[in-house]
Amino acid sequence: MNQIKKKAIILDGDPGHDDAIAFVLAAAFKDYLDIKAITACGGNQTLAKTTLNYRKIATLLGLTNIPIAAGREKPLQADLVIAPNYHGESGLDGPKLPDPEVELSELSAVELMANVLRESDEKVTIVATGPQTNVASLLLAHPELKDKIEAISIMGGGLEHGNWTSTAEFNIIVDPESADIEFRSGVPVIMAGLDVTEKAYILPSEWDVLRGDNEVADIVAQWCDFFYIHLKELGWPGALMHDPCSIMVLVHPEIFVSKDLYVQIDTKGEFTRGATVPDYHGLLGQKPNCKCLLDVDRELFVKYLIEACQSFRKDA
Ligand code: BDR
Ligand code: CA
């Protein structure tokens, strides 16, 4: 029988309800993805809170052997902006989670990522679902390891509009200097921006089936309940699964529509700081640096997400 070759990944993010669901999805795709390390950054909440959240989620999932490290407290140059309006005071408000049974690594996020890359025989994909601070710090500290990175699959940006300002999305505007370093690094970026993530929503009637199915699925349903409170006020029909897109595309690329483009980050704009600016017409004569996800088959996305949550049943 043919063994599927697993993709080695590092998860970097700021959980966050959708970061948490991305982690659940990555864990469920265990036949396809091998999570080598987890690194936290400040974003949806402070670094201390997002790090604690990763440790709790790992405990919930029984993944207590994956090293977890904390990254930088703050963006490279800007002050940290947080998003308690979406994610609450803990960064992951809603259901009670188990106390963490995973110790925090003594290494910094950059040291842990560098070790994973150095020790891996294969190239490693970094999945970054918060501000890009840790990834940029890695690229600055260890340019010699760039070739060990297969791709950086990010949730961030939006070619057509933003959600924090009219042109900038949260993860990018929190730390545009880091995103700029990443997009100019030469490492291929897979960008799940708002263009696709706002189409990847799950309806309340769809996440209802997860209630009571198993402990993990039940918690995912409650995370959706909480995350949807603010999104509903904004008029969305369901909970936007921004960060899970960055995992889903690694396992089910066939359900996405994408375009390879050269994308620049605006770090200076008076009104457009943090914008992800695509060179649609090749005017800059640059090779594409980014696979931009533009559309998704929402029904298949939800089907795979629900099946992933159900796979945590004891009898599954
Ligand atoms: C992004 O911002 C955060 O609130 C979410 O976790 C997601 O990564 C969406 O703009
Ligand atoms: Ca996030």
Side-chain angles (χ1 to χ4, degrees):
M1 203 173 77
N2 276 348
Q3 241 354 64
I4 304 167
K5 189 142 179 23
K6 291 193 203 183
K7 204 182 264 295
I9 66 168
I10 296 172
L11 274 188
D12 177 80
D14 58 342
H17 297 77
D18 52 336
D19 304 79
I21 298 171
F23 187 1
V24 168
L25 195 56
F29 286 149
K30 58 182 187 308
D31 294 339
Y32 304 92
L33 302 178
D34 183 6
I35 308 171
K36 298 282 188 192
I38 294 167
T39 52
C41 59
N44 287 322
Q45 262 297 351
T46 58
L47 178 69
K49 292 182 182 179
T50 60
T51 308
L52 178 63
N53 290 341
Y54 261 143
R55 293 170 58 214
K56 289 181 177 176
I57 307 161
T59 305
L60 169 74
L61 295 171
L63 297 179
T64 48
N65 290 330
I66 301 174
I68 300 181
R72 289 173 57 104
E73 298 272 352
K74 282 178 49 172
L76 281 194
Q77 290 181 28
D79 288 333
L80 180 64
V81 174
I82 57 173
N85 47 341
Y86 286 93
H87 301 278
E89 273 314 303
S90 69
L92 196 49
D93 277 11
K96 184 169 165 29
L97 298 177
D99 290 335
E101 286 169 18
V102 192
E103 289 308 314
L104 189 59
S105 168
E106 285 171 6
L107 301 176
S108 69
V110 167
E111 288 166 339
L112 178 58
M113 289 196 271
N115 282 357
V116 169
L117 293 173
R118 219 178 274 120
E119 287 163 13
S120 176
D121 296 333
E122 321 280 334
K123 288 193 175 195
V124 177
T125 298
I126 300 178
V127 181
T129 60
Q132 304 300 303
T133 316
N134 291 338
V135 182
S137 304
L138 170 75
L139 294 167
L140 288 174
H142 293 286
E144 80 283 1
L145 292 174
K146 262 192 225 171
D147 291 346
K148 300 292 292 281
I149 308 173
E150 170 93 21
I152 308 169
S153 181
I154 73 162
M155 189 285 135
L159 302 185
E160 298 301 322
H161 62 273
N163 62 1
W164 210 255
T165 67
S166 47
T167 53
E169 180 276 332
F170 178 76
N171 287 342
I172 304 296
I173 201 168
V174 171
D175 192 348
E177 283 73 21
S178 285
D180 180 45
I181 289 167
E182 176 181 271
F183 276 65
R184 288 191 294 106
S185 68
V187 179
V189 175
I190 304 168
M191 175 178 146
L194 300 172
D195 317 282
V196 69
T197 67
E198 289 179 345
K199 294 171 185 151
Y201 55 84
I202 178 167
L203 298 167
S205 57
E206 292 169 333
W207 78 69
D208 252 352
V209 305
L210 297 176
R211 289 188 209 286
D213 184 280
N214 67 78
E215 190 189 7
V216 174
D218 197 64
I219 283 179
V220 169
Q222 294 180 64
W223 282 336
C224 289
D225 291 338
F226 189 91
F227 195 35
Y228 188 46
I229 295 171
H230 187 52
L231 290 167
K232 190 176 180 185
E233 289 166 358
L234 297 174
W236 291 103
L240 305 180
M241 293 289 100
H242 300 290
D243 296 341
C245 286
S246 310
I247 293 290
M248 190 70 84
V249 69
L250 301 180
V251 177
H252 286 295
E254 74 285 353
I255 69 170
F256 291 89
V257 174
S258 68
K259 196 170 173 62
D260 291 346
L261 290 168
Y262 182 65
V263 176
Q264 291 173 298
I265 308 296
D266 186 353
T267 56
K268 305 244 176 339
E270 186 182 355
F271 306 114
T272 54
R273 179 167 154 83
T276 40
V277 184
D279 182 16
Y280 282 125
H281 304 292
L283 302 175
L284 299 172
Q286 298 283 348
K287 281 203 298 220
N289 57 352
C290 190
K291 179 176 281 303
C292 303
L293 306 184
L294 300 177
D295 203 355
V296 63
D297 183 327
R298 194 194 76 83
E299 286 184 4
L300 278 180
F301 181 93
V302 169
K303 175 179 182 289
Y304 295 144
L305 183 63
I306 286 182
E307 284 171 359
C309 294
Q310 291 172 335
S311 72
F312 292 92
R313 270 185 212 152
K314 293 268 179 304
D315 59 356

